[in-house]
Amino acid sequence: MSKLPHLSSPSIFVILGATGDLAKKKIIPSLWLLFNENLLPDKCSVLAFADTNFSKEEFNTFIKDNLKEKIKNISEIKLKPFLDLFTYINGDFNVEKSFNKILDQVNKYESLWSVCSNKVFFLAATPHFYENIFNNLAKVGLNVPCGGNLGWTRILIEKPFGYDLKSAEKLQKLLDKYFKEEQIYRIDHYLAKEIVQGISNFRFSNNLFESSWSNELVEKIEIRLFESIGVEQRGSFYDSLGAFRDVGQNHLLELLSLITMKTPLQNDILTIRKNRVDILSKLKPWTKKDIINNTYQAQYEGYKNIEGVKNNSQNETFFSIKTEIEDPLWIGVPIIIEAGKQCKEARKEIVVTMKHPPVCFACEPGHHTKNQVIFQIEPKAQVLIKFWSKKPGFENTLEERSFTFFLYEKEEKTQYVEEYAKLFYEAMRGDLTLFVDREEVKNLWRFTDPLIKAWRNNLVPLSFYKPGTTPQVKFKTEDKNKFYDLEKKIGIIGLGKMGANISRRLTERGWRVYGFNKTEEETKILVKEGLYGTYSVREMVEKISGLKVIWLMIPAGGPVDEILFGKDGLIKMLKKGDIIIDGGNSFYKDSISRFKKLKAKGIGFIDVGVSGGPSGARNGASLMIGGEKEVFKKVEKLFSDIAIQNGYQFFDGPGAGHFVKMIHNGIEYGMMQSIAEGFTILKKSKYKLNLSKVTDVYNHGSVIESRLIGWLKNAIELHGEDLKNVKGQVSHTGEGAWTVKTAKDLKIKAKIIEESLKFRIQSNKKSPSVDRQTNYTGKILSAIRGQFGGHSIKK
């Protein structure tokens, strides 16, 4: 800390509750550290306010005794000037005259220094005194800053901030009455821990993991705070909270926000705090089922015998919960948060477990220990990365290794002191980064309140454990992670660009894929890649034993009804309980009609809109699924294997999947048209613009950043900026027309989509009125379609 700049503005610290536990263990030792490091202003005074009837000498003894307990090798030479900083004021939080004593001392020092001083008020009192403290500070005018660059007033409030959301909002309303938001510094001292700050540095100052720091590669997150000590002398205070309010609602959820928040695009206070708020707002709301299945509370034996604890206390001293963040980057990643007193060992850490690679070279069969990144707070402040490495020698075998970075190599740190010194220092600087935002507080309580209420109502009965042991908690697997025991066999009719790539993806995932295509050559090519080729629909159906699942991948306008209901249609070959999936672009009303006909025969029908083009079909598509939920659940494993991570959603009702995909394509028409028109304007302008560079800058952080812009960049680099060999006639399938028709049926205006459709129709007419500008717009549309859909685009 000695390299930090010395602060010069005259300042007065006021400790409200100077003889309490917080002041003894944290505040006074942290002020000593700042003083010892020469980080306090030259003109500085500490006003220690409490109701204990101390003389100056008695309070000095009180300070010395407590410092010697917390800090080794205190210099007696330095101790005297440190004690001279303190003025002890005996008073009562409930009495206005007591605050006049504080005002008199403030006036005394400001007169001595001939300047209006900065003031830091630290609330080291219990929350039930807050209202009177705020009122009395305001009555004597101590809440009002002097103004200008000097003379600010700031108030530091220790957690817990309120007892629940209602009390937190009441406290905030009271603060708003007397203080501006920039004056309020809400403390969670975990945010000031070196290793906790190191999480942000590890993530955002390096490129080691951040690009994959999401559900793409992270399997689970565990945050734990196990303490070997008990409640000790904090019985009354602890029993008013319980373990979750004491450390879960604040420390552990704040750790979660740091490990999962999005990368700040700017290194400033507002952005960092906003990102913490944003991720906390996406904590999955509790349901009754989730609380029963995914939470656990326990109390150590003998807890009720502690002084201050109620004889019938139902408060937990240990908890474990499993939750999730409903954010696209993290959805599906289980988060385990647990903490407790009187555990087997003191262990405070965050463990990020990575997914196992699809292919693990030289791994022993069945041995799949995952890579981990561990941020450890106790017993040692360190970062560990666990990974696999080849054992030295001739054999190609692996062993688990780890990189270990110790935060403190030799220097011994005193718990809490450095954190609070840092908080004091940052408060003097006016930096709110390490302090909790008001919206953070709201989101923390919104998540906490339903859980505590359920526990107190015995929805999850309180368990008990022996002191010196750590409960081992295993939660039930959530239903969404359980698929029906579906045998991995499927038939695919239609092996064009999309069907072929879906078959390849499924084959790689262990599916036995039977394929049929009208043109045999495509089938024979795929047979070489593991497809089970069939050369008629009947042959396919006969080769699939048991439950038959048939996927249709027929181009828009293709013979879907003939395949389903024709002379040799599937409806005549399949049995009750078999399932047909239409993954092509069909009109949703046709899908409703097909569903009804098949249901009458007991055959399940699912309609699926598939987005992402051939590349998506090969590497993971976006699937919009409609039909009956019961049928969907039977084949959900199939959709999970075809889709990109978190890339499928079910919409209840026959035709719903194709309806959602139809609107998707209508939106796509409008988006592509606006891009094409915009780039035509760029092309026609007087500037000699490199359109490839324009696409590049548009696709790095701009509002219109998108895959469509990326595909246009690829097309320009492939065909040249003039797109000479690309046709200006733009093909269109039924999706755009269906969207326009549906909008009219619903009496909704869809001008942009309709005009985009008209442009495509007009581009195909042989007319001299199709000028060069219009032709270039058409070329851009065709070029983009060629990139994502593999459509023919050459003249």
Side-chain angles (χ1 to χ4, degrees):
M1 294 181 67
S2 57
K3 293 182 180 179
L4 293 171
H6 179 76
L7 299 173
S8 58
S9 301
S11 300
I12 296 175
F13 295 90
V14 183
I15 306 172
L16 297 165
T19 58
D21 204 50
L22 181 62
K24 287 193 293 185
K25 292 182 177 179
K26 301 172 183 177
I27 299 174
I28 293 173
S30 66
L31 286 173
W32 163 261
L33 180 57
L34 289 172
F35 174 80
N36 197 45
E37 296 281 346
N38 195 32
L39 291 172
L40 290 177
D42 294 329
K43 294 177 180 178
C44 178
S45 175
V46 182
L47 306 182
F49 182 97
D51 61 0
T52 307
N53 192 19
F54 273 154
S55 65
K56 168 64 175 171
E57 290 72 23
E58 287 171 328
F59 186 67
N60 282 354
T61 302
F62 170 84
I63 293 174
K64 285 190 284 186
D65 291 345
N66 285 293
L67 280 181
K68 288 176 180 177
E69 279 185 25
K70 298 290 289 183
I71 299 172
K72 297 178 181 178
N73 303 319
I74 292 179
S75 166
E76 291 292 337
I77 297 173
K78 277 194 170 184
L79 187 58
K80 184 181 184 306
F82 177 69
L83 294 174
D84 289 341
L85 295 177
F86 287 81
T87 300
Y88 184 74
I89 302 171
N90 176 234
D92 188 328
F93 294 131
N94 303 312
V95 178
E96 181 184 340
K97 288 182 179 178
S98 295
F99 286 77
N100 277 317
K101 294 181 184 179
I102 300 174
L103 180 62
D104 289 342
Q105 289 298 321
V106 168
N107 290 336
K108 170 188 167 184
Y109 283 105
E110 290 184 339
S111 176
L112 179 66
W113 298 333
S114 300
V115 67
C116 178
S117 65
N118 301 324
K119 301 169 193 68
V120 179
F121 293 93
F122 198 118
L123 269 68
T126 52
H128 72 275
F129 286 117
Y130 285 0
E131 185 168 359
N132 283 335
I133 290 172
F134 299 151
N135 286 332
N136 288 325
L137 283 173
K139 284 178 181 178
V140 300
L142 284 170
N143 62 315
V144 181
C146 306
N149 293 327
L150 295 177
W152 44 251
T153 297
R154 292 166 187 157
I155 186 162
L156 276 64
I157 304 175
E158 177 66 59
K159 66 93 182 170
F161 193 84
Y163 182 77
D164 52 19
L165 179 58
K166 185 178 179 180
S167 62
E169 289 179 333
K170 181 181 178 182
L171 174 56
Q172 185 58 55
K173 189 175 181 180
L174 185 64
L175 279 165
D176 287 340
K177 186 176 178 181
Y178 301 122
F179 300 93
K180 295 179 180 178
E181 179 61 20
E182 59 266 26
Q183 292 179 272
I184 304 168
Y185 289 67
R186 302 173 192 84
I187 291 175
D188 185 330
H189 69 266
Y190 262 58
L191 291 177
K193 285 183 177 291
E194 282 287 356
I195 188 65
V196 174
Q197 291 179 276
I199 294 171
S200 299
N201 296 126
F202 180 89
R203 288 187 58 196
F204 307 136
S205 302
N206 302 292
N207 288 325
L208 284 170
F209 293 99
E210 193 58 24
S211 61
S212 56
W213 202 256
S214 67
N215 52 22
E216 183 180 352
L217 287 182
V218 173
E219 182 175 276
K220 66 178 176 178
I221 297 171
E222 299 164 279
I223 306 176
R224 55 181 64 101
L225 196 164
F226 297 154
E227 297 179 275
S228 56
I229 61 172
V231 173
E232 314 305 335
Q233 288 80 38
R234 299 174 68 220
S236 178
F237 175 74
Y238 191 91
D239 200 49
S240 69
L241 299 174
F244 197 84
R245 279 197 182 102
D246 186 44
V247 297
Q249 182 269 348
N250 36 76
H251 298 334
L252 299 189
L253 290 180
E254 287 292 354
L255 290 178
L256 177 62
S257 73
L258 293 174
I259 210 74
T260 56
M261 64 186 268
K262 290 180 181 175
T263 305
L265 296 179
Q266 300 178 74
N267 186 19
D268 64 74
I269 297 166
L270 291 177
T271 303
I272 294 168
R273 296 178 95 194
K274 178 181 177 297
N275 285 12
R276 291 204 310 254
V277 169
D278 180 63
I279 204 69
L280 289 170
S281 71
K282 294 174 181 174
L283 280 164
K284 184 181 178 184
W286 289 111
T287 64
K288 182 178 178 181
K289 182 179 177 183
D290 284 337
I291 291 174
I292 292 171
N293 291 337
N294 297 324
T295 76
Y296 172 88
Q297 59 161 338
Q299 186 184 98
Y300 68 78
E301 295 172 4
Y303 169 74
K304 293 186 180 73
N305 299 328
I306 296 170
E307 185 179 350
V309 175
K310 295 175 183 175
N311 292 332
N312 61 347
S313 174
Q314 291 297 299
N315 282 342
E316 76 288 351
T317 60
F318 181 97
F319 69 85
S320 182
I321 66 169
K322 182 168 78 168
T323 187
E324 190 176 306
I325 293 173
E326 294 183 326
D327 181 272
L329 287 175
W330 292 108
I331 196 162
V333 176
I335 297 165
I336 310 296
I337 301 174
E338 50 191 4
K341 296 282 191 182
Q342 282 284 7
C343 292
K344 183 178 179 180
E345 62 176 342
R347 179 166 293 275
K348 302 176 184 180
E349 63 186 6
I350 304 169
V351 180
V352 180
T353 302
M354 315 304 284
K355 292 179 180 177
H356 198 73
V359 178
C360 181
F361 293 101
C363 282
E364 295 176 24
H367 189 59
H368 296 292
T369 302
K370 314 290 174 58
N371 300 142
Q372 290 183 324
V373 181
I374 302 172
F375 301 93
Q376 195 173 90
I377 302 169
E378 285 186 24
K380 295 178 180 178
Q382 59 183 352
V383 180
L384 297 94
I385 302 174
K386 293 188 175 182
F387 65 101
W388 288 98
S389 179
K390 181 185 176 299
K391 286 183 179 179
F394 293 102
E395 293 184 5
N396 189 22
T397 56
L398 299 178
E399 62 180 347
E400 191 174 12
R401 304 288 296 272
S402 64
F403 285 127
T404 305
F405 169 69
F406 291 97
L407 199 63
Y408 303 122
E409 292 290 347
K410 297 178 180 178
E411 188 179 356
E412 186 176 333
K413 299 292 177 179
T414 305
Q415 190 178 36
Y416 303 126
V417 172
E418 185 168 295
E419 293 99 295
Y420 275 83
K422 194 173 295 180
L423 290 169
F424 265 125
Y425 184 81
E426 296 303 322
M428 287 192 290
R429 291 179 61 233
D431 190 334
L432 283 158
T433 306
L434 300 183
F435 297 87
V436 181
D437 183 271
R438 66 194 295 164
E439 292 302 316
E440 273 179 273
V441 172
K442 287 183 182 179
N443 288 314
L444 293 169
W445 282 123
R446 284 193 189 107
F447 180 77
T448 299
D449 282 355
L451 178 62
I452 298 297
K453 183 179 179 181
W455 283 354
R456 297 299 175 261
N457 289 334
N458 208 35
L459 187 63
V460 177
L462 185 70
S463 299
F464 295 90
Y465 63 102
K466 293 184 181 298
T469 64
T470 304
Q472 302 299 305
V473 183
K474 290 187 178 180
F475 295 116
K476 297 177 183 177
T477 304
E478 295 181 24
D479 290 340
K480 70 176 185 178
N481 293 327
K482 291 173 66 178
F483 296 110
Y484 276 76
D485 188 16
L486 176 68
E487 192 174 355
K488 288 188 167 186
K489 294 184 298 183
I490 188 172
I492 298 180
I493 299 176
L495 299 174
K497 293 186 291 286
M498 296 293 290
N501 278 350
I502 286 176
S503 76
R504 290 183 176 105
R505 182 169 175 85
L506 288 175
T507 299
E508 285 178 353
R509 281 158 176 71
W511 286 77
R512 191 180 183 96
V513 181
Y514 296 89
F516 166 74
N517 196 67
K518 184 173 64 174
T519 308
E520 292 184 2
E521 284 73 16
E522 280 79 3
T523 306
K524 291 176 179 177
I525 291 170
L526 290 168
V527 167
K528 296 176 182 177
E529 300 180 38
L531 179 84
Y532 289 83
T534 61
Y535 298 94
S536 71
V537 173
R538 183 169 295 279
E539 181 189 356
M540 170 188 286
V541 172
E542 288 175 352
K543 282 191 172 180
I544 302 174
S545 60
L547 173 68
K548 302 180 194 298
V549 179
I550 309 295
W551 182 293
L552 307 185
M553 207 66 206
I554 310 300
V560 176
D561 282 323
E562 183 183 339
I563 293 170
L564 292 176
F565 310 116
K567 183 179 178 182
D568 294 313
L570 285 170
I571 195 170
K572 298 176 182 178
M573 302 180 194
L574 299 181
K575 296 179 180 178
K576 185 177 180 180
D578 291 338
I579 298 170
I580 294 172
I581 301 169
D582 182 5
N585 285 334
S586 295
F587 186 40
Y588 79 99
K589 288 187 177 180
D590 293 338
S591 297
I592 295 172
S593 175
R594 292 161 185 162
F595 166 83
K596 290 177 180 177
K597 290 179 183 178
L598 291 166
K599 186 175 176 64
K601 295 289 186 178
I603 299 170
F605 181 79
I606 296 285
D607 53 283
V608 182
V610 182
S611 182
S615 174
R618 184 70 182 87
N619 303 305
S622 171
L623 305 181
M624 304 146 219
I625 307 161
E628 290 183 322
K629 190 166 188 177
E630 183 180 349
V631 179
F632 158 74
K633 293 298 290 184
K634 288 180 181 179
V635 289
E636 185 177 0
K637 175 60 180 171
L638 170 67
F639 300 127
S640 175
D641 281 349
I642 293 174
I644 195 171
Q645 177 83 27
N646 301 310
Y648 71 91
Q649 288 290 346
F650 173 75
F651 304 96
D652 199 17
H658 280 152
F659 182 82
V660 173
K661 177 59 162 55
M662 177 186 74
I663 302 304
H664 162 283
N665 280 28
I667 294 169
E668 175 192 301
Y669 271 45
M671 291 173 68
M672 287 176 61
Q673 186 70 25
S674 65
I675 289 170
E677 291 175 2
F679 273 82
T680 301
I681 297 168
L682 289 167
K683 176 74 172 170
K684 195 174 177 67
S685 75
K686 65 180 180 179
Y687 297 105
K688 301 293 183 182
L689 299 171
N690 182 319
L691 296 189
S692 178
K693 288 185 176 180
V694 174
T695 60
D696 195 52
V697 73
Y698 281 175
N699 236 22
H700 285 84
S702 84
V703 174
I704 62 169
E705 180 179 359
S706 66
R707 296 177 77 185
L708 291 170
I709 296 288
W711 282 319
L712 176 56
K713 176 181 172 65
N714 294 343
I716 289 172
E717 292 180 350
L718 181 64
H719 301 290
E721 194 170 288
D722 291 329
L723 303 174
K724 285 181 180 179
N725 296 320
V726 177
K727 63 184 180 181
Q729 294 76 37
V730 192
S731 300
H732 56 94
T733 57
E735 298 276 306
W738 296 336
T739 304
V740 171
K741 180 182 182 303
T742 301
K744 288 179 178 178
D745 291 344
L746 296 172
K747 297 181 180 179
I748 294 171
K749 292 182 180 180
K751 288 184 178 181
I752 293 171
I753 298 173
E754 187 171 356
E755 288 300 319
S756 303
L757 175 63
K758 286 180 180 178
F759 178 91
R760 295 191 182 198
I761 295 170
Q762 183 67 27
S763 74
N764 284 279
K765 291 181 179 179
K766 293 181 179 179
S767 169
S769 63
V770 179
D771 59 23
R772 289 179 63 190
Q773 177 177 326
T774 304
N775 191 50
Y776 188 73
T777 302
K779 284 173 176 283
I780 293 176
L781 290 171
S782 291
I784 296 174
R785 292 184 81 246
Q787 285 294 308
F788 71 74
H791 303 289
S792 175
I793 63 172
K794 292 190 176 180
K795 290 182 179 179

